[in-house]
Amino acid sequence: MSDPARPDILVAAPLPAFTMDVLEARFTVHKLWQGVAPADLARVRGMAASTLAGPVGEALFAQIPGLEIVANFGVGYDNIDMAAAVARHLVVTNTAGVLDEEVADLTVGLLLATVRRIPAAERYVRDGLWPGGGFALSPSLRGRRVGIVGLGGIGKAVARRLAGFAVDIAWYGRSEQPDVAWPRYPSVEALAAACDVLIVIVPGGAATRHLIDARVLAALGPDGVLINVARGSVVDEAALIEALQARTILAAGLDVFEHEPHVPQALLACDNAVVLPHIGSASLVTRQAMGRMMADNLTAWFTTGRALTPVPETRY
């Protein structure tokens, strides 16, 4: 018998242990990867999904007739079939806000590592090469113009940090933001042509697939640096590899990849690329906060009928 004080939820894939502890303290938890009987699925009212664990869509929704809400562990939610969710009048939430500062910190760190060639310099010391001579002079962040593709919460947090580096900032986004003082360009290609650093921080999904393509990379130019902390799908990876190999751009710093965790060997072979294993929000304190927000969204829905951070497509 289901306990009304502990609504039944389905966890679609394993989550960090500290997040599972929070969910299990508040809800009756069913774990999809362990197998769930149809009678248990019939009692489920909420789902915990994750950008770290793969897609969630109609095939699963159809098995849960009483599903009301899908709470996602992550600010991006391209892992959720939103067309199917909207058709079923499901509330979908994300963890907007709680990871902005952490991802912005990582973005600036990745930019500095890429421009100043910090990983290569560290390997130079470890490989015992320093006694034979100093490390080669690197490019600089000085005098650069930084373009930010996507000026949401994370993009603004990145811009605030970069303002302290005395670099010029511009941006591109689909919508005007009258309260933003930095200049907005009419297209990604126009922004790339005006800047020599391009930081990508837009949602994934069909609408942004290969937004950064060969034309944008050509516009960025031979002194240009690409930083992608968004989704791997946003960048045409084959075009990027070609640009790095041909030195038609200077360098790239990448935290995300088209088919992660698999990274093309051709990309790994590029000495002008810095690659990270999708760690933008991956600190203990931030992942704990994300787990609490996901659980808080479920709790708020079941107790008040209102979620805390519904995604824009959600309709109550």
Side-chain angles (χ1 to χ4, degrees), residues 57-278:
E58 177 60 24
L60 184 55
F61 296 158
Q63 300 177 53
I64 314 171
L67 187 63
E68 303 167 18
I69 179 172
V70 180
N72 202 50
F73 184 82
V75 66
Y77 51 95
D78 48 307
N79 55 307
I80 298 172
D81 182 341
M82 286 304 302
V86 169
R88 288 182 171 272
H89 306 288
L90 301 178
V91 172
V92 176
T93 68
N94 64 356
T95 56
V98 298
L99 49 71
D100 291 0
E101 303 302 321
E102 199 74 77
V103 176
D105 288 348
L106 187 281
T107 302
V108 174
L110 180 56
L111 171 59
L112 289 171
T114 303
V115 173
R116 295 299 312 276
R117 302 188 63 220
I118 292 172
E122 200 255 3
R123 288 193 301 270
Y124 191 82
V125 176
R126 288 185 181 276
D127 291 345
L129 300 175
W130 194 7
F135 185 70
L137 298 179
S138 75
S140 176
L141 191 60
R142 299 300 95 230
R144 286 185 177 269
R145 185 171 175 84
V146 178
I148 301 176
V149 183
L151 202 68
I154 298 173
K156 287 186 176 72
V158 170
R160 289 195 300 270
R161 283 158 173 75
L162 289 177
F165 286 83
V167 295
D168 290 331
I169 296 169
W171 66 285
Y172 165 78
R174 289 177 297 178
S175 303
E176 295 275 4
Q177 298 194 43
D179 59 334
V180 171
W182 302 299
R184 174 178 177 259
Y185 279 75
S187 70
V188 177
E189 191 171 349
L191 179 66
C195 297
D196 49 24
V197 173
L198 201 63
I199 297 175
V200 187
I201 188 62
V202 295
T208 58
R209 184 177 185 275
H210 289 186
L211 180 67
I212 309 302
D213 58 12
R215 291 186 307 170
V216 172
L217 295 170
L220 188 57
D223 196 38
V225 175
L226 176 72
I227 303 295
N228 187 12
V229 290
R231 285 287 186 269
S233 61
V234 176
V235 174
D236 182 339
E237 206 163 77
L240 174 60
I241 290 169
E242 184 176 338
L244 289 168
Q245 291 173 336
R247 308 280 173 169
T248 53
I249 67 170
L250 180 67
L254 308 168
D255 188 41
V256 290
F257 305 89
E258 279 206 80
H259 305 289
E260 60 186 57
H262 306 291
V263 180
Q265 187 57 43
L267 183 53
L268 295 176
C270 292
D271 64 359
N272 50 349
V274 175
V275 294
L276 301 177
H278 200 157

